[in-house]
Amino acid sequence: MIAVVGHGDLTTEALALLESELRSRLAAFAKAGRVGLVRVGQGLPVAVGRAARAAGMALVTVLPSKAGLPALLRTPDHKAAGELLMLSQQVRLVDFDPADHDSCVRADESLLRACARVLAVWDGSPPNARDVTAHLVAFARARGIEVDVLWPVGAVRTSPQDVRS
């Protein structure tokens, strides 16, 4: 399985650049029979889902759950979840609270343990209170999981005040 992780504050233009690059990367993995994995959310996960579909790659989307039942998503993720469910061949329920940052990080770490490779959409910045991409890259590498970093020329993140919760 190939997990895709990355910054949650990418501009619309950056997402379009990434979707194109992801499509070509995922096509090679699709030919090898690999499956993509994303945790539900707006922005990058949807770009991954669209790229996987265009590349002919099967996609697994992870939804939060509590006691085996789907958990309530953050409002901004509702529309994204609907699209990802339509793009996915499989949905996995994982026990975590989408409103709890630490719970999401633990869920991501658990998912990465089950993957052979990680595609990280990462600008090289260190981890901070709202973005753990650097942490996930280090986590995967420390466990011997192959990591490919993607950061297309021209990709930009939004400023903190532009991020909506």
Side-chain angles (χ1 to χ4, degrees), residues 30-48:
K31 287 179 186 172
R34 298 293 180 113
V35 175
L37 175 75
V38 294
R39 183 166 53 85
V40 73
Q42 62 182 335
L44 181 60
V46 174
V48 171

Side-chain angles (χ1 to χ4, degrees), residues 70-154:
L72 187 62
L73 294 171
R74 297 175 324 129
T75 302
D77 292 331
H78 288 179
K79 184 176 177 186
E83 184 172 353
L84 280 166
L85 292 174
M86 297 301 295
L87 294 168
S88 296
Q89 281 67 38
Q90 183 181 8
V91 174
R92 272 194 197 163
L93 295 177
V94 173
D95 190 31
F96 72 95
D97 178 358
D100 179 346
H101 177 75
D102 291 338
S103 179
C104 292
V105 173
R106 285 190 304 274
D108 286 342
E109 290 171 349
S110 173
L111 295 168
L112 293 185
R113 282 187 195 100
C115 292
R117 182 180 224 110
V118 173
L119 297 182
V121 176
W122 180 40
D123 64 359
S125 61
N128 62 43
R130 65 183 188 101
D131 188 304
V132 296
T133 304
H135 166 78
L136 294 174
V137 167
F139 179 89
R141 287 178 174 160
R143 280 148 188 81
I145 301 167
E146 292 185 59
V147 177
D148 297 330
V149 175
L150 307 176
W151 193 253
V153 174

